[in-house]
Amino acid sequence: MSIIIKTPEEIEGMRLACRLGAEVLDYVTPFVQVGVTTAELNRLCHDYMLNVQGTLPAPLNYAPAGHTPYPASICASINHQICHGIPNERPMKNGDIVNLDITVIKDGFHGDTSRMFLLGEPSIQAKRLVAVTFECMWLGIRAARPGGRLGDIGATIQKHAEKNGYSVVREFCGHGIGRSFHEAPQVLHYGKADTGEELKPGMIFTIEPMINAGKAAISTLSDGWTVVTRDRSLSAQWEHTVLITESGAEALTLSAGSQPPPKGI
Ligand code: MF3
Ligand code: CO
Ligand code: CO
């Protein structure tokens, strides 16, 4: 499948969906506390999307080939869980690091974004992993520009992760997004600069590196969804949906509560 170049109208639709996705994270942030369950966060986000925003939670019943329908409205992945963690009734603990991944649908357009949250006082190693993964995402965004290639994004992310002693998850990647949740291209978070498809203004895709403190290998739990590090090392992820503009790349999933890009990147 070829990469869709979005029209100005489609870009406006995506701007709105993406801002709303980010605003779900702003809304839920004060509730992300030790003792709270991810099932409760799921309920809060679900109700906010439907009743306040008038958006739909794209994950709910999402069923790509080979998967059972996803049973919740958000993904919540804690500690060694890499992605697609299913919210549950276990209270979050002091020192946990949790990724909340939100995708809303507004007027048929998808906005996809995730952030990391630190519960209480995580270890220095955990905080460093979260910070380096945030830098990886932003280095990837800064590497994306018209006339450049998809491989530029993966190469810069991989270099930064590995320089810090971490590994990049290979099995999951960023993706084109628009009227579909997942469309072309696949945006690998590793690879070689100056390879892959040329980037053009009007392309919209996510950059969502999953970075492991230990080895890159993954396992999938028997729930059919939750992806964990095989060596049970910590994993972190951040995600923005980005638009290729005439001069670079613009993160669309920004809101009042977004953490600003790291300095010097
Ligand atoms: N939001 C995820 C992504 O970034 C996809 C989640 S699919 C689900 O692509 F079914 F697990 F929700
Ligand atoms: Co995504
Ligand atoms: Co996502």
Side-chain angles (χ1 to χ4, degrees):
M1 281 300 290
S2 55
I3 305 175
I4 298 170
I5 304 291
K6 267 71 179 180
T7 64
E9 294 72 31
E10 288 170 328
I11 291 170
E12 282 320 298
M14 285 298 287
R15 279 189 190 287
L16 177 58
C18 287
R19 179 172 54 77
L20 291 167
E23 286 178 356
V24 176
L25 288 167
D26 291 358
Y27 162 74
V28 79
T29 295
F31 299 101
V32 187
Q33 300 286 348
V34 172
V36 174
T37 69
T38 50
E40 179 63 13
L41 300 179
N42 179 66
R43 285 188 284 274
L44 287 162
C45 290
H46 178 94
D47 291 348
Y48 188 75
M49 289 183 236
L50 270 87
N51 303 332
V52 178
Q53 293 188 322
T55 60
L56 294 172
L60 188 60
N61 296 317
Y62 183 61
H67 284 271
T68 53
Y70 186 77
S73 297
I74 70 170
C75 297
S77 306
I78 297 190
N79 295 337
H80 67 286
Q81 298 176 345
I82 297 170
C83 64
H84 305 167
I86 298 174
N88 61 42
E89 300 288 354
R90 284 192 293 276
M92 294 183 289
K93 301 186 307 297
N94 181 45
D96 284 349
I97 60 170
V98 56
N99 174 277
L100 298 182
D101 192 342
I102 304 290
T103 310
V104 302
I105 308 173
K106 180 71 171 180
D107 302 332
F109 294 103
H110 293 71
D112 188 5
T113 184
S114 80
R115 297 180 193 159
M116 294 299 298
F117 297 82
L118 307 173
L119 281 284
E121 264 307 311
S123 66
I124 288 166
Q125 296 93 308
K127 287 195 266 194
R128 182 172 164 272
L129 174 67
V130 169
V132 169
T133 304
F134 188 67
E135 291 164 4
C136 282
M137 175 184 66
W138 273 105
L139 284 165
I141 295 171
R142 296 292 183 236
R145 60 177 69 89
R149 292 182 180 275
L150 269 180
D152 302 348
I153 299 169
T156 186
I157 290 171
Q158 181 179 11
K159 197 169 123 209
H160 193 60
E162 292 179 356
K163 188 176 80 186
N164 281 282
Y166 300 146
S167 60
V168 178
V169 171
R170 311 261 165 159
E171 288 82 355
F172 298 90
C173 53
H175 49 93
I177 183 166
R179 292 188 189 276
S180 310
F181 194 167
H182 294 100
E183 58 187 44
Q186 293 196 23
V187 182
L188 305 185
H189 302 114
Y190 62 93
K192 288 201 190 330
D194 221 21
T195 65
E197 285 243 31
E198 185 181 327
L199 301 179
K200 302 201 168 91
M203 289 181 176
I204 298 183
F205 51 77
T206 70
I207 298 179
E208 49 177 303
M210 285 145 272
I211 305 297
N212 298 347
K215 296 205 169 74
I218 67 159
S219 312
T220 304
L221 299 189
S222 57
D223 62 24
W225 278 101
T226 310
V227 179
V228 300
T229 55
R230 193 170 283 260
D231 63 10
R232 299 301 192 261
S233 65
L234 288 179
S235 186
Q237 178 178 32
W238 293 83
E239 175 174 25
H240 273 311
T241 298
V242 306
L243 165 71
I244 302 299
T245 64
E246 296 296 331
S247 59
E250 179 189 348
L252 299 180
T253 35
L254 292 172
S255 61
S258 297
Q259 196 169 308
K263 291 207 183 20
I265 282 179

